[in-house]
Amino acid sequence: MSDLELPHEQLHLVDRLIDLAIDEDIGQGDATTLALFPNPGQAEGAFNAREDGVMAGGGVVARLYARLGARFQDDAGAVTVEQTLADGAAFTAGDELLHISGDASVILMGERTALNLLQRMCAVAKRTRQYVDRMGETHAKIFDTRKTNPGHRVLDKLAVRAGGGHNHRMGLFDMILVKDNHLAKYGGPAGAVRAARERSSLPVMVEVDSLAQLEEVLPAEPDFVLLDNMPADVLAQAVKLADDRSQ
């Protein structure tokens, strides 16, 4: 399995989470493995699915084992992780997801940490795929949010993509999103959009919660409008209104 294809700053966040997981679960070593297998030798095994799902996280497991090997055996290649299914592939109960081989002590000590990361990512990918499938042949797309557990954002967003979804923004730094809290301080949404455009080259999204706000903000031509907590019938009117204005 090749390394994760992520920008350096995102890869750093993945490594930081992996190191935290190692510190939390393994600390200075696996006492049980050390007691039972002082000279463990080589081993191999597989990660098999217990239920249907969508694959995500093989590269993260490979990176975890590389860091474990480097930390406990001075050998980043002590364990080899081969991904049987590509990220985004659907699987059924019993399917092999990953094959693992190498230093038995490293394999044993990393098993639970690897499963924690892999199971979470597969679960996010599976749920995303369910939402994507519900969209059918419509033009709607499924996007994620910033509502992630601390430390897991990059992995959650990778899993969303594996499930067929799309990433919104990684954080507060890569898009202007004018929300109700900003409007409570600033004022009307149209003025806020224009002010943001004057001071930033980033895409501008604005949140509205009524048709009146939508009417007001459309002439300011935001890149995106977030329709916040609207009833289904009002949401349909808002989409039609935006479509009519864009034609």
Side-chain angles (χ1 to χ4, degrees), residues 74-86:
D74 294 324
D75 180 7
V79 170
T80 299
V81 178
E82 297 179 3
Q83 189 164 337
T84 311
L85 292 177

Side-chain angles (χ1 to χ4, degrees), residues 3-11 14 154-155 158 161:
D3 207 352
L4 289 171
E5 295 181 2
L6 288 171
H8 176 74
E9 63 273 14
Q10 293 183 16
L11 196 57
V14 174
V154 173
L155 302 191
L158 281 173
R161 295 207 298 269

Side-chain angles (χ1 to χ4, degrees), residues 8-224:
H8 176 74
E9 63 273 14
Q10 293 183 16
L11 196 57
H12 169 71
L13 294 173
V14 174
D15 287 343
R16 189 166 67 182
L17 175 61
I18 289 173
D19 289 341
L20 176 62
I22 292 172
D23 290 340
E24 181 179 71
D25 195 44
I26 301 165
Q28 298 305 309
D30 177 356
T32 306
T33 297
L34 291 172
L36 296 181
F37 308 105
N39 300 297
Q42 300 292 295
E44 62 180 300
F47 289 82
N48 296 320
R50 290 189 174 180
E51 61 182 52
D52 298 353
V54 175
M55 180 61 188
V60 178
V61 173
R63 196 162 187 87
L64 163 69
Y65 272 110
R67 295 182 80 78
L68 274 173
R71 181 160 166 177
F72 292 99
Q73 297 291 349
D74 294 324
D75 180 7
V79 170
T80 299
V81 178
E82 297 179 3
Q83 189 164 337
T84 311
L85 292 177
D87 282 4
F91 57 77
T92 58
D95 284 352
E96 180 180 286
L97 309 182
L98 303 171
H99 186 270
I100 187 168
S101 60
D103 187 283
S105 63
V106 178
I107 290 175
L108 289 169
M109 75 173 66
E111 174 195 6
R112 174 45 54 191
T113 306
L115 283 171
N116 287 346
L117 296 170
L118 184 66
Q119 288 173 328
R120 178 185 176 89
M121 292 187 70
C122 287
V124 171
K126 178 180 178 179
R127 180 56 59 90
T128 303
R129 181 66 53 81
Q130 290 171 344
Y131 292 144
V132 170
D133 289 345
R134 289 285 296 273
M135 293 299 100
E137 298 301 319
T138 70
H139 296 295
K141 296 179 180 180
I142 298 296
F143 281 81
D144 55 26
T145 73
R146 288 170 45 239
K147 299 179 179 71
T148 55
N149 286 342
H152 282 271
R153 179 164 302 173
V154 173
L155 302 191
D156 285 352
K157 286 179 173 285
L158 281 173
V160 165
R161 295 207 298 269
H166 300 265
N167 296 151
H168 177 32
R169 53 178 181 162
M170 186 60 64
L172 295 175
F173 47 82
D174 55 1
M175 178 185 289
I176 303 293
L177 175 46
V178 183
K179 296 173 65 70
D180 52 358
N181 291 333
H182 302 109
L183 294 177
K185 176 70 174 176
Y186 187 88
V193 170
R194 293 188 180 101
R197 286 207 185 282
E198 290 176 2
R199 300 184 178 96
S200 175
S201 60
L202 292 171
V204 178
M205 175 181 282
V206 61
E207 177 182 283
V208 301
D209 56 19
S210 68
L211 294 177
Q213 279 189 323
L214 180 61
E215 286 267 20
E216 178 187 348
V217 80
L218 286 176
E221 299 184 344
D223 296 290
F224 307 95

